[in-house]
Amino acid sequence: MRITSMALLASGALLATAALGTGCTWVHMAPEARAVKVVDGPPAGCIRRGEVAVSVKDSIAFYERNDLRVRDELETLARNEAPGLGADTIQPLGPPIEGEQRFTAWNCTR
């Protein structure tokens, strides 16, 4: 009985780790966010529409999530928020810190 419980626990942990490491994403891009551009610096001739603060889990229990995946999810969340601010471009204000990041939202269409 004890061996069965330990085997179930171990197989559950393996499945969770496999799901997290195989490209599983929790954040999906909204259709209107697909047109939102991401730039490195303030874009010329654009109107500032505000700031967006986004966050995701960067670790789950003892498992540290892949930094690139966390960055991608933060960017997707910010792109999802941009259309609601009347923005079509976002600019990160700094690197992600513990699963959180801030972006400036810009409207560059005239």
Side-chain angles (χ1 to χ4, degrees), residues 62-110:
F62 61 89
Y63 179 78
E64 291 293 321
R65 295 188 64 217
N66 179 292
D67 287 340
L68 185 57
R69 185 158 299 135
V70 169
R71 280 181 185 270
D72 285 346
E73 289 181 1
L74 290 167
E75 184 178 290
T76 299
L77 285 171
R79 289 175 70 185
N80 286 346
E81 294 294 321
L85 294 171
D88 60 6
T89 305
I90 59 170
Q91 168 207 351
L93 292 174
I97 299 172
E98 295 180 4
E100 297 181 6
Q101 191 171 18
R102 297 185 70 79
F103 293 80
T104 300
W106 301 90
N107 184 317
C108 297
T109 58
R110 294 187 184 229

Side-chain angles (χ1 to χ4, degrees), residues 11-73:
S11 64
L14 281 173
L15 286 174
T17 301
L20 290 171
T22 59
C24 180
T25 183
W26 297 327
V27 179
H28 298 283
M29 189 173 301
E32 61 274 8
R34 294 189 194 287
V36 174
K37 292 178 252 150
V38 181
V39 296
D40 290 330
C46 298
I47 299 169
R48 188 177 185 277
R49 300 296 296 165
E51 284 189 17
V52 176
V54 292
S55 64
V56 296
K57 291 281 188 188
D58 64 338
S59 63
I60 301 166
F62 61 89
Y63 179 78
E64 291 293 321
R65 295 188 64 217
N66 179 292
D67 287 340
L68 185 57
R69 185 158 299 135
V70 169
R71 280 181 185 270
D72 285 346
E73 289 181 1

